[in-house]
Amino acid sequence: MPLIKEACVENETQIDTAVKTKANRIELCSRLDFGGLTPSIDLINYVIAKKIPVVVMIRVNDKYNATWWEYRKMLTQIRKLRNLQIEGFIFGLLDKKGFIDYKRNKKLVKTCRDKQKIFHMAFDEFANWREAIDKLTVIGFNRILTKGGKDIAEKNLKQLRDIYEYARGKLEIVAGGKVNDDNYMKIANSTGIQQFHGRNLGMK
């Protein structure tokens, strides 16, 4: 599998830069200052017209949990967007105790239908990441975005390698967390990971 550089973007200018510099994929968000929220339909249509693979963030607050109304809004957003020419959705919910919200995530995954389902960096909240990988596999996620722990990816190389090896054959692993064009090859060579994500990745 060739290395994939996924540019995390939030506006038309950043989309244009990612296309120009030949990023392999875009993660489209709004409000990256909040960790990324669901982007507007206009921005989604803008990136679709660029003919570049794109995954869309589904998130309605700056937390990893959601009220009942916020959860219903996430379901509605997926239903409105799932027939568009996008590769998948990135989302994830924890319950009030900080564990994977099995029931809500299962419903969100089912609502995505045939689109890719990516669990975002809420994954890095779990000390027992092996158990988290097993649960996310059962729920139906295809991919996990992770820093490999609480620090940035470049400082978590051993754990990223362990995560990648454990998830092999279950889930794809995408390394994020201050990943850029200057360090992604170091991370690749140290961990075996082949997919990378960052705001400054594939943008020059």
Side-chain angles (χ1 to χ4, degrees):
M1 179 180 179
L3 298 184
I4 293 175
K5 294 196 291 183
E6 178 182 275
C8 183
V9 304
E10 63 178 341
N11 57 50
E12 293 182 2
T13 299
Q14 292 172 357
I15 291 169
D16 290 343
T17 299
V19 171
K20 182 179 179 180
T21 56
K22 301 187 186 309
N24 303 109
R25 184 170 66 217
I26 282 176
E27 181 194 292
L28 188 64
C29 308
S30 68
R31 297 304 303 269
L32 286 173
D33 55 327
F34 283 175
L37 303 180
T38 306
S40 69
I41 185 64
D42 289 342
L43 195 62
I44 295 169
N45 284 327
Y46 185 86
V47 73
I48 289 173
K50 300 295 181 178
K51 306 296 184 182
I52 183 171
V54 57
V55 295
V56 173
M57 177 68 78
I58 300 294
R59 193 166 177 231
V60 296
N61 62 36
D62 61 351
K63 304 176 182 64
Y64 290 138
N65 53 41
T67 66
W68 187 86
W69 289 107
E70 288 170 333
Y71 162 66
R72 299 301 300 179
K73 185 175 181 179
M74 293 172 72
L75 288 170
T76 298
Q77 289 173 340
I78 292 172
R79 291 186 184 109
K80 288 181 177 179
L81 300 174
R82 65 190 177 191
N83 293 323
L84 299 179
Q85 295 301 306
I86 59 179
E87 185 177 274
F89 298 106
I90 179 164
F91 58 91
L93 289 177
L94 308 185
D95 62 22
K96 293 180 180 179
K97 295 182 179 180
F99 299 114
I100 293 171
D101 191 325
Y102 186 94
K103 184 176 180 179
R104 287 183 172 186
N105 282 303
K106 185 72 173 179
K107 179 63 175 179
L108 289 165
V109 163
K110 183 178 180 180
T111 303
C112 292
R113 293 184 176 171
D114 61 343
K115 301 298 184 184
Q116 291 285 305
K117 302 93 177 173
I118 305 103
F119 195 83
H120 55 43
M121 284 185 179
F123 177 80
D124 294 320
E125 299 295 307
F126 306 122
N128 190 341
W129 52 262
R130 291 177 178 85
E131 180 181 341
I133 288 172
D134 292 341
K135 287 184 177 179
L136 294 175
T137 301
V138 171
I139 289 171
F141 282 93
N142 309 108
R143 195 182 304 159
I144 294 171
L145 173 62
T146 176
K147 305 187 302 293
K150 298 296 184 180
D151 213 328
I152 63 174
E154 196 171 4
K155 295 186 177 181
N156 291 328
L157 297 178
K158 182 183 184 304
Q159 184 147 308
L160 279 170
R161 182 173 65 250
D162 291 344
I163 289 170
Y164 174 72
E165 291 295 337
Y166 187 81
R168 190 190 295 270
K170 302 175 184 177
L171 293 162
E172 299 174 8
I173 298 297
V174 184
K178 303 298 183 183
V179 177
N180 55 51
D181 288 320
D182 297 323
N183 65 16
Y184 81 97
M185 282 303 303
K186 174 185 176 181
I187 299 169
N189 292 332
S190 299
T191 66
I193 292 173
Q194 297 165 307
Q195 300 184 60
F196 303 90
H197 165 101
R199 295 182 65 173
N200 297 305
L201 182 65
M203 297 291 280
K204 67 178 182 179

